[in-house]
Amino acid sequence: MSRVSLDRGWSPRLTDATVLGRWPQLVGSEIADHCTPLSLRDGELVLQAESTAWATQLRTLQRQLLVRLAGAVGKDVVRRIRVVAPSGPSWRHGPRTVRGRGPRDTYG
């Protein structure tokens, strides 16, 4: 199977899927409980933290995570980590939107 994936050029995509699929085993349960890997493209791993505090914590642990991932899946698989904070609630209701403040600017 590994020879077929090498012949067809699937090996990099399989390695990327390994990082995303085995995330708790690669980084540990404590870190995996507080962040979710969103994507891995061109060596950049995008993580979404559950809170802004954990986003800051992940940014400080970035070097340690890169070393741990390099030891587990290979040196050039993950070269950068980008941490995004959790998204706030959306005020959109429905498919159409109004630019700017919309109807809220008429209060008062």
Side-chain angles (χ1 to χ4, degrees):
M1 189 68 166
S2 62
R3 195 173 80 208
V4 171
S5 68
L6 278 174
D7 291 344
R8 296 190 181 218
W10 296 340
S11 189
R13 296 189 79 175
L14 289 174
T15 307
D16 294 352
T18 300
V19 172
L20 299 179
R22 295 183 44 216
W23 181 248
Q25 292 87 17
L26 295 174
V27 297
S29 63
E30 184 179 352
I31 293 174
D33 289 344
H34 299 286
C35 68
T36 305
L38 298 179
S39 67
L40 176 57
R41 289 197 181 105
D42 300 326
E44 181 180 57
L45 176 64
V46 179
L47 300 175
Q48 183 173 23
E50 73 173 8
S51 66
T52 54
W54 265 100
T56 303
Q57 182 70 16
L58 289 169
R59 287 183 188 110
T60 60
L61 292 173
Q62 209 168 31
R63 283 195 193 275
Q64 294 170 0
L65 289 175
L66 285 171
V67 169
R68 190 181 294 179
L69 291 170
V73 294
K75 182 181 175 187
D76 292 330
V77 175
V78 179
R79 293 185 302 267
R80 294 177 306 281
I81 296 177
R82 184 168 52 107
V83 180
V84 294
S87 59
S90 174
W91 294 102
R92 290 185 177 191
H93 301 288
R96 295 189 177 104
T97 61
V98 177
R99 296 190 100 172
R101 289 186 48 92
R104 290 184 296 273
D105 65 352
T106 59
Y107 297 151

